[in-house]
Amino acid sequence: MEQIVVNGLYLGAQYALIALGLTLIFALMNVLNFAHGQMYVLGGFVSYVVYGKFGLPFPLALLASALTLLFVGAAVERFLFRRVLKKSVREESTMLLAAGLAFFFDGIILLLFGQKQRGVPKIVDGIWNWEAGEVIIANDRIAVGVCAILLIVSFIAFMQYTKPGRAMRALAQDKTAAQLMGVNIDRYGMLGFALGAMLAGVVGGLLVAITGVSSGIGGPISIKAFLMVMIGGAGVVPGAIAGGFILGMLESVGLATLRTYGDITYLVIFASLMVFLSIRPHGLMGKPWG
Amino acid sequence: MPVKKTFAALAAALALALPGGSALAANDTLKIGFVGVTSGPKAAWGISNVRCMQTRAKWVNDEGGVKIGGKTYDIEIITWDTQDSPTRAKEGMEKMVQEGIRYVVGPNTDPTAAAVRPVAEQDGVMYFPYAFPKELYSKPAGNAVLGMIANYQSGPAIYKHLKENSGVKSIAFLAANESDALSQRKGGVAAAKALGLKVLAEDAYQSDTRDFVPVVTPVVKLKPDLLVLSGVAGGTAPLVIRALRELGYKGLISTETAQDAAQLKQGAGDLANGFISVGGASTPEIRSAKMEEFIKRYTADHGQYDDESNTKVYALEYILETLKANPKALDDVKVFQAAMDDFSAPNPYLKGNEKLQYVGNSSFGQKRQLGVPMVVTEYRDGEFETLFVTKAD
């Protein structure tokens, strides 16, 4: 049982980090970023090239992933989403743009990095064995889990205690009021989108050390991220974190207890989610009014 | 005007002087199709097919083309990416029919192979899938020819070898929740039971799983002597192996699908040592000089050679050799089918007097499988080492 709980917490930490970027973009711009998974993949490949191919230190690879996606996110917001949002009031315009962007990134990633699964050397060797095999976890997974939690804490602190963080929170709560109070919505919209993309890139870069990366996995990652956001409540940062940990735990417990019935864990999760959303459509922490 | 004339004369002289230029212009074109997966997680399977076909076609064309029934043809490979979607696969086969193509290599997976069957049978196309459902190759079906060794042929051979040589008594199966892998798991379980092995688990996982620790935690606790990763994709195998070994699993791990040594090395490193899989149909000990030349050309054209191509090299060779022996089959696949029972030609890729011969009687009740060596390999330090070599039929 201890192993199942540890697995769930570890999965939850990485899932929460994936969901954070998605929910941030949704909160600030009301955009469902279907390309979030592809941004994760791009971050993974940047880390793979810097750490796996060039042999540079892993923290440097993470930084490269973060900066690349920060730039990509800013450019995507500035030249695509901002224009669409100003010209169209229909929500599906940005959804279609995001879907198009996902296909575009899939194509570009395939072209640049090929179709093969890529992996990198372990960032930390060794295994942590507790109570003679009751809990076994590789040290690199512990390192990744700790990094994920540190990043989540840093992000919350940034949003809570810095001027840009406060501006983005104001923007998320009420765009018009924030604008009237002097918040530059273009600047902070771009910053928020870039930060959201950066988070996707960082988690992609981080997890390349564990699960590697390959083109074509962006779609399933986006689906999981949406699942977490639906559980926690769209556009709510604590909701995304809660959603991530809940999904991680559900997955871990489900895989351990339902395995004799076949691969039904996600079937059960989806069915439960449908029931849950029919009772609480705005998720655990979302607000019914948006 | 004199300048124009000089240019025209120079161009004509150049065209005549180019080696093979006149021959290329004179040759007809023989189009051979490929309908398979070249993108997504299973892309490596189809890309290996395409690269083999392109390398061999270029080689044949460089040597002046292939002679069939008194005419010489240049080979052109027409490719279609199914994206592992049955709908796309059907569209691909329809495109091949529209192009007048009678011989198609692929598809690479069970659902896509099943999807092209009605088109192939209705419009008279022979296709060479790398998918295992027996109904594709058993009567009344007649147009599909299995391009590789099937899991229900390699699985029993591997389990028997490990039972006799490594003392394996218990076994567990792990498969992605998709038709190919589940059907391979089913075949594996039946084979294991027939050998008297104790089956401890028949687990499944979502095909898009990235982190396998939660998936394999329960099966590791069962401590099977052998864990079979049924139908595992090349990109997924290192992830599963890594999770298993990191959780302290000490038993043997095997699969019946071909794997990529480079991916295993990159994704699992030393943890993949001892992983048993079905290798490509060639080993350094049995391959001929022509096979060495093929590998050289493939590597020159595509950068990196992979073990799976040792099997994929055969499909085009079988098609061309059967057509050379039966020129009327160019336009009528019934002639091709009628010739398959007695067809025999020297196998250019193996040492000695080995033959290209269709097999499959024992599995399908008719010869609907390419006869290729069954090579079982063990991964060690970035290379596949031959465990044993046998035959399918």
Side-chain angles (χ1 to χ4, degrees):
Chain A
M1 190 61 197
E2 292 89 341
Q3 181 75 54
I4 295 167
V5 173
V6 169
N7 289 347
L9 288 173
Y10 161 73
L11 275 183
Q14 42 171 286
Y15 285 173
L17 200 55
I18 294 173
L20 267 184
L22 185 70
T23 214
L24 177 69
I25 291 170
F26 182 78
L28 293 179
M29 310 184 69
N30 211 22
V31 166
L32 288 171
N33 184 19
F34 292 113
H36 196 70
Q38 281 72 12
M39 290 173 169
Y40 164 105
V41 175
L42 189 56
F45 271 116
V46 171
S47 263
Y48 159 72
V49 171
V50 174
Y51 175 62
K53 288 199 90 172
F54 296 159
L56 295 169
F58 187 66
L60 200 66
L62 271 187
L63 185 68
S65 292
L67 291 176
T68 305
L69 268 298
L70 191 76
F71 173 77
V72 168
V76 162
E77 193 281 336
R78 173 66 187 82
F79 298 110
L80 298 172
F81 282 101
R82 191 185 298 178
R83 295 169 71 91
V84 172
L85 282 167
K86 281 186 177 164
K87 285 183 177 173
S88 171
V89 289
R90 296 175 66 133
E91 283 183 359
E92 59 268 34
S93 303
T94 55
M95 286 167 70
L96 289 171
L97 174 61
L101 204 60
F103 290 126
F104 172 75
F105 277 135
D106 267 339
I108 287 286
I109 289 166
L110 188 65
L111 206 64
L112 288 177
F113 301 105
Q115 83 291 350
K116 282 194 173 181
Q117 161 82 15
R118 303 292 180 186
V120 298
K122 285 170 85 71
I123 51 168
V124 189
D125 281 325
I127 283 168
W128 185 66
N129 192 336
W130 183 71
E131 293 281 322
E134 278 303 307
V135 177
I136 300 175
I137 184 162
N139 288 342
D140 53 0
R141 287 173 196 270
I142 297 173
V144 165
V146 169
C147 278
I149 289 168
L150 285 177
L151 281 165
I152 291 168
V153 172
S154 310
F155 175 77
I156 292 171
F158 175 80
M159 293 299 283
Q160 203 69 30
Y161 301 114
T162 66
K163 191 183 164 191
R166 279 195 295 273
M168 282 190 280
R169 280 193 292 134
L171 208 59
Q173 280 171 19
D174 191 325
K175 194 178 270 186
T176 312
Q179 194 171 17
L180 289 170
M181 297 303 288
V183 174
N184 184 332
I185 57 167
D186 281 350
R187 182 194 299 165
Y188 287 108
M190 183 165 80
L191 180 64
F193 202 105
L195 271 180
M198 186 191 82
L199 283 170
V202 167
V203 71
L206 200 57
L207 287 180
V208 79
I210 305 292
T211 59
V213 64
S214 74
S215 52
I217 60 168
I221 284 165
S222 289
I223 290 172
K224 270 196 179 165
F226 278 111
L227 211 61
M228 293 174 255
V229 169
M230 279 191 275
I231 295 170
V236 188
V237 168
I241 296 167
F245 277 99
I246 289 169
L247 185 67
M249 204 52 83
L250 284 175
E251 199 176 310
S252 181
V253 172
L255 286 167
T257 54
L258 302 173
R259 49 179 281 276
T260 46
Y261 305 102
D263 178 32
I264 60 164
T265 300
Y266 262 87
L267 192 72
V268 172
I269 291 175
F270 278 119
S272 311
L273 187 64
M274 281 191 288
V275 174
F276 169 71
L277 287 177
S278 67
I279 299 163
R280 201 173 165 84
H282 44 278
L284 279 177
M285 299 180 190
K287 302 287 186 290
W289 56 86
Chain B
M1 290 300 277
V3 176
K4 271 188 182 176
K5 276 184 182 172
T6 311
F7 266 116
L10 271 173
L14 196 64
L16 286 171
L18 276 173
S22 54
L24 274 174
N27 288 352
D28 281 354
T29 299
L30 172 61
K31 290 182 183 176
I32 306 289
F34 169 76
V35 175
V37 54
T38 55
S39 62
K42 295 170 187 168
W45 293 343
I47 286 173
S48 170
N49 275 118
V50 171
R51 287 180 173 175
C52 281
M53 293 172 77
Q54 288 172 340
T55 303
R56 183 68 185 122
K58 187 166 171 257
W59 189 1
V60 170
N61 294 344
D62 286 349
E63 290 180 341
V66 58
K67 273 192 182 171
I68 301 172
K71 273 176 106 174
T72 305
Y73 296 87
D74 285 326
I75 302 165
E76 187 183 352
I77 306 298
I78 309 294
T79 66
W80 177 273
D81 178 12
T82 62
Q83 297 168 6
D84 202 22
S85 146
T87 315
R88 285 270 308 169
K90 187 167 171 280
E91 287 168 12
M93 190 57 95
E94 284 165 351
K95 180 183 185 296
M96 297 298 153
V97 171
Q98 284 162 12
E99 295 235 7
I101 294 170
R102 296 271 169 220
Y103 298 92
V104 173
V105 176
N108 301 93
T109 59
D110 293 4
T112 50
V116 303
R117 179 181 170 184
V119 183
E121 289 181 357
Q122 188 184 311
D123 294 298
V125 175
M126 288 300 291
Y127 61 112
F128 296 74
Y130 294 80
F132 299 152
K134 286 186 177 178
E135 59 270 23
L136 290 173
Y137 314 106
S138 308
K139 283 177 182 168
N143 290 44
V145 182
L146 176 59
M148 63 191 294
I149 303 290
N151 72 302
Y152 36 78
Q153 295 165 333
S154 59
I158 295 173
Y159 311 155
K160 189 166 178 279
H161 177 88
L162 295 177
K163 186 183 171 187
E164 288 169 358
N165 296 284
S166 305
V168 166
K169 290 188 178 69
S170 61
I171 190 167
F173 291 84
L174 188 61
N177 191 8
E178 56 185 17
S179 60
D180 285 43
L182 292 176
S183 112
Q184 290 188 36
R185 188 185 71 180
K186 194 177 162 192
V189 169
K193 283 180 177 168
L195 282 167
L197 298 173
K198 189 178 178 189
V199 178
L200 298 181
E202 297 173 44
D203 285 5
Y205 56 86
Q206 289 279 300
S207 54
D208 56 17
T209 302
R210 303 291 302 162
D211 196 324
F212 280 86
V213 165
V215 173
V216 301
T217 294
V219 81
V220 167
K221 301 275 180 200
L222 298 172
K223 296 183 180 166
D225 296 331
L226 172 64
L227 182 56
V228 179
L229 311 180
S230 305
V232 69
T236 308
L239 302 178
V240 190
I241 293 168
R242 184 170 168 173
L244 283 165
R245 294 300 185 208
E246 285 181 349
L247 283 171
Y249 176 66
K250 302 266 190 252
L252 296 162
I253 310 171
S254 77
T255 185
E256 289 98 31
T257 44
Q259 298 296 317
D260 183 332
Q263 284 193 348
L264 286 169
K265 186 180 180 184
Q266 209 174 54
D270 290 345
L271 296 175
N273 280 346
F275 178 48
I276 296 159
S277 63
V278 176
S282 183
T283 72
E285 300 83 38
I286 62 173
R287 71 175 57 127
S288 65
K290 188 162 181 179
M291 188 68 202
E292 298 285 1
E293 172 71 12
F294 174 81
I295 294 171
K296 213 167 116 186
R297 284 172 176 265
Y298 183 109
T299 311
D301 287 350
H302 304 292
Q304 189 184 356
Y305 191 71
D306 57 85
D307 185 54
E308 206 177 333
S309 297
N310 288 323
T311 305
K312 304 289 175 64
V313 66
Y314 276 98
L316 184 60
E317 205 65 37
Y318 265 94
I319 294 170
L320 295 180
E321 288 301 322
T322 312
L323 289 174
K324 276 159 76 175
N326 304 275
K328 285 184 181 167
L330 274 173
D331 301 311
D332 186 359
V333 297
K334 294 284 179 207
V335 177
F336 191 98
Q337 290 170 4
M340 289 172 76
D341 277 346
D342 300 321
F343 169 79
S344 179
N347 187 334
Y349 299 125
L350 293 180
K351 280 179 186 165
N353 295 319
E354 296 293 328
K355 302 282 183 200
L356 294 177
Q357 280 173 327
Y358 294 96
V359 296
N361 265 334
S362 59
S363 295
F364 314 121
Q366 59 178 346
K367 289 189 176 179
R368 285 296 181 273
Q369 182 176 7
L370 304 184
V372 297
M374 183 200 295
V375 178
V376 178
T377 60
E378 187 178 24
Y379 174 87
R380 192 145 311 271
D381 301 327
E383 304 282 341
F384 287 117
E385 293 174 1
T386 307
L387 205 58
F388 62 93
V389 182
T390 182
K391 285 182 178 174
D393 214 6

